[in-house]
Amino acid sequence: MDDFQGQGRETVVTMADAYTLSRAERRDQQTQRILDAAKACFVRSGFQGASMQEVCAEVGMSPGALYRYFPSKEAIIEAICEVDRQQDIESFITFLENPSIVDGLVEAAVAHITHVHERGNAALFAEIRAESTRNETIQTTCLKCQQQVYEIIRERVRLATERGEIDPPVDLDTLMAAFMAIGEGIALNDLPSLGVPVANLEILLRAMVEGMLRPTGRTTADSR
Amino acid sequence: MDDFQGQGRETVVTMADAYTLSRAERRDQQTQRILDAAKACFVRSGFQGASMQEVCAEVGMSPGALYRYFPSKEAIIEAICEVDRQQDIESFITFLENPSIVDGLVEAAVAHITHVHERGNAALFAEIRAESTRNETIQTTCLKCQQQVYEIIRERVRLATERGEIDPPVDLDTLMAAFMAIGEGIALNDLPSLGVPVANLEILLRAMVEGMLRPTGRTTADSR
DNA sequence: CATTTGAGAATGAACGTTCGCTCTTTATGC
DNA sequence: GCATAAAGAGCGAACGTTCATTCTCAAATG
């Protein structure tokens, strides 16, 4: 995997490979290779700490070639942030579907934790988070993704409160701010990697969410 | 506050000022000035992103002079991390003293949130956190500070459980890991700056902690 | 007068990026 | 189907800049 673009002429991998790829396909594939390699470098050395030379070495590509795919280092960073944030958020949203709010929140949180853990993304998230306080583009990306989750949860909590299914001890805004902050803390710390069993975590999170939402026991429909 | 070390010779602040300082005092004072200025730069541009020139300009000091106080940029970064982490932790520990665990945790959390907010330290914390995944010295500093809090809370929760004051739904390790992660998330997000009233937050945190610890109502002594 | 403090130019290394070039792939004309 | 042009992909040296740090020397201090 290392002597990809070697020195000799005969080791060069031609564009028309065993299974011939179109120009566009090849381009997409190379772009992805760069993003993957850059991500590894950025996790290792930080956005500012990693040099383009380091990224080039990781991809196995010369600077001249790499700059045909991205116009600048910043563009690579921003692309990585965009993809990462969107992916993180999608797994979360999917699991919010459960009709019970408490179950939905807990399941989504557990799915999110598992997702971050499996992809080893906690360190990158920490990096993105720090960078987002400085880079406006990244900040916008983060906010946009966060808001998707925020709006959905907020609306569901609001409706459930209106219906009398839950009785939170504080206003909706405080509740939501706390939820988002807590979720971030848990994702950032990658608890499974610290040896915390997800099953135990789920029990605790349910107790926590119930404490914060105070389910009344009655439901409008026959959801149980 | 800007034209401190001006260009002219007569504006130079001599060492023997109105109230004469000893050599050591003057040195400490200058060291502190450097740390403060560097902190501002690092918050603005990040540890890697800020240059020494930027720091020098912020202090109002030449590189040659600055390097008489710190041997390297890294030394400044590490000193800032050390001080910041220790300060953050101290305010927390102080407020854990309340005999009721729930009250202690909630009060400490609120004090911590207030402290981080007032000092505007959330961005620096994000930076330190990201850097700690790369710099071993910083990581050690963070762990050491975190552990001080961890041990105290853990022991208090353990004793309270033993006494039957609380009945957590999960094992102590899971509980503690979650507590630390949640605390970090809340501190990092600086909720007061988002407009969340601390009073509301306190109510919610209490509900949350009670959900996670399940106080039984009985106490060993007459603490209520 | 010995020592400390400071300024500011200078250092070499490393940075992100560009350039000129070669080779390969695709498009075009016959 | 084949020659040939145009475009794309890639390399690696080189660019100008900025980096952290050091050096030299002057001023202030005790």
Side-chain angles (χ1 to χ4, degrees):
Chain A
M1 186 185 264
D2 206 5
D3 58 333
F4 187 70
Q5 295 276 358
Q7 56 284 25
R9 188 155 302 172
E10 48 267 278
T11 58
V12 168
V13 175
T14 59
M15 289 196 171
D17 239 349
Y19 299 93
T20 309
L21 298 173
S22 77
R23 269 273 226 275
E25 283 170 333
R26 163 84 178 176
R27 186 155 241 281
D28 289 350
Q29 187 182 286
Q30 291 288 70
T31 304
Q32 194 54 54
R33 282 210 318 127
I34 293 171
L35 286 176
D36 290 344
K39 185 166 137 181
C41 292
F42 291 147
V43 167
R44 192 193 308 126
S45 315
F47 286 140
Q48 317 269 2
S51 70
M52 289 302 279
Q53 306 282 352
E54 189 182 335
V55 176
C56 287
E58 182 88 17
V59 200
M61 198 182 251
S62 67
L66 195 147
Y67 270 85
R68 286 195 180 274
Y69 292 89
F70 291 93
S72 67
K73 183 185 182 183
E74 222 196 326
I76 300 180
I77 294 173
E78 285 165 6
I80 286 178
C81 289
E82 176 108 28
V83 171
D84 181 78
R85 290 296 75 218
Q86 197 58 44
Q87 283 181 350
D88 255 21
I89 254 56
E90 268 160 24
S91 79
F92 195 95
I93 289 180
T94 312
F95 281 87
L96 269 175
E97 296 302 327
N98 192 304
S100 153
I101 312 190
V102 174
D103 290 346
L105 276 173
V106 172
E107 280 174 23
V110 169
H112 188 54
I113 291 164
T114 308
H115 176 255
V116 171
H117 175 63
E118 279 170 358
R119 303 204 34 176
N121 261 13
L124 182 63
F125 181 32
E127 188 65 32
I128 292 177
R129 219 200 165 285
E131 193 66 16
S132 77
T133 65
R134 280 171 248 125
N135 183 317
E136 204 165 322
T137 309
I138 295 180
Q139 190 173 35
T140 306
T141 301
C142 288
L143 282 177
K144 207 173 56 189
C145 288
Q146 222 183 358
Q147 221 142 26
Q148 292 177 47
V149 175
Y150 186 95
E151 301 292 353
I152 295 174
I153 298 180
R154 188 190 158 93
E155 185 61 10
R156 294 208 53 201
V157 171
R158 195 184 65 78
L159 286 173
T161 309
E162 226 168 45
R163 274 188 264 116
E165 283 178 29
I166 54 174
D167 178 32
V170 292
D171 64 296
L172 192 50
D173 288 322
T174 299
L175 192 58
M176 285 307 302
F179 267 148
M180 299 301 286
I182 290 169
E184 199 173 273
I186 290 177
L188 212 46
N189 275 276
D190 192 9
L191 299 186
S193 79
L194 300 177
V196 177
V198 177
N200 293 8
L201 203 51
E202 180 165 356
I203 293 170
L204 184 60
L205 288 180
R206 176 164 280 109
M208 183 187 88
V209 172
E210 283 174 350
M212 295 170 85
L213 293 183
R214 302 190 182 282
T216 55
R218 49 195 157 99
T219 54
T220 38
D222 49 321
S223 68
R224 177 147 304 183
Chain B
M1 188 185 261
D2 208 4
D3 59 334
F4 189 69
Q5 293 275 359
Q7 57 282 23
R9 188 156 300 169
E10 47 269 280
T11 59
V12 168
V13 175
T14 58
M15 289 191 171
D17 238 350
Y19 300 94
T20 310
L21 299 172
S22 76
R23 267 259 167 66
E25 284 170 333
R26 162 84 180 176
R27 186 154 242 280
D28 288 352
Q29 188 183 286
Q30 290 288 68
T31 304
Q32 193 54 54
R33 281 207 322 125
I34 294 171
L35 286 176
D36 291 343
K39 187 166 134 181
C41 293
F42 292 147
V43 167
R44 192 193 308 126
S45 315
F47 287 140
Q48 317 270 1
S51 71
M52 289 302 278
Q53 307 280 353
E54 189 182 335
V55 175
C56 287
E58 182 89 17
V59 200
M61 198 182 252
S62 66
L66 194 146
Y67 270 85
R68 287 197 180 274
Y69 293 89
F70 291 93
S72 67
K73 184 184 183 184
E74 222 197 328
I76 299 180
I77 294 174
E78 285 165 5
I80 286 178
C81 289
E82 176 107 26
V83 171
D84 180 79
R85 290 296 75 216
Q86 198 58 43
Q87 284 182 349
D88 256 21
I89 254 55
E90 266 159 26
S91 79
F92 196 95
I93 289 180
T94 311
F95 282 86
L96 270 174
E97 295 302 326
N98 193 303
S100 152
I101 312 190
V102 173
D103 290 345
L105 276 173
V106 172
E107 281 175 23
V110 168
H112 188 52
I113 291 164
T114 309
H115 176 254
V116 170
H117 175 64
E118 278 170 1
R119 303 204 33 174
N121 260 12
L124 181 64
F125 182 32
E127 188 66 32
I128 292 178
R129 221 201 162 285
E131 193 66 16
S132 77
T133 66
R134 283 171 246 124
N135 182 317
E136 204 165 323
T137 310
I138 295 179
Q139 190 174 36
T140 306
T141 301
C142 288
L143 282 178
K144 206 173 58 189
C145 288
Q146 221 182 2
Q147 221 142 27
Q148 293 177 48
V149 176
Y150 187 96
E151 301 292 353
I152 295 175
I153 299 180
R154 188 191 158 92
E155 185 61 11
R156 295 207 53 198
V157 171
R158 195 184 66 76
L159 286 172
T161 310
E162 224 168 46
R163 275 188 263 115
E165 283 179 29
I166 54 174
D167 179 31
V170 293
D171 64 297
L172 193 51
D173 289 322
T174 300
L175 192 59
M176 284 307 302
F179 267 147
M180 299 301 286
I182 290 169
E184 200 172 272
I186 289 176
L188 213 45
N189 274 274
D190 192 8
L191 299 187
S193 79
L194 301 177
V196 177
V198 177
N200 294 8
L201 203 52
E202 179 164 356
I203 294 170
L204 183 60
L205 288 181
R206 174 163 281 109
M208 181 189 89
V209 172
E210 283 175 351
M212 295 170 84
L213 293 183
R214 302 190 185 282
T216 55
R218 52 193 155 98
T219 54
T220 39
D222 51 321
S223 68
R224 176 149 305 185

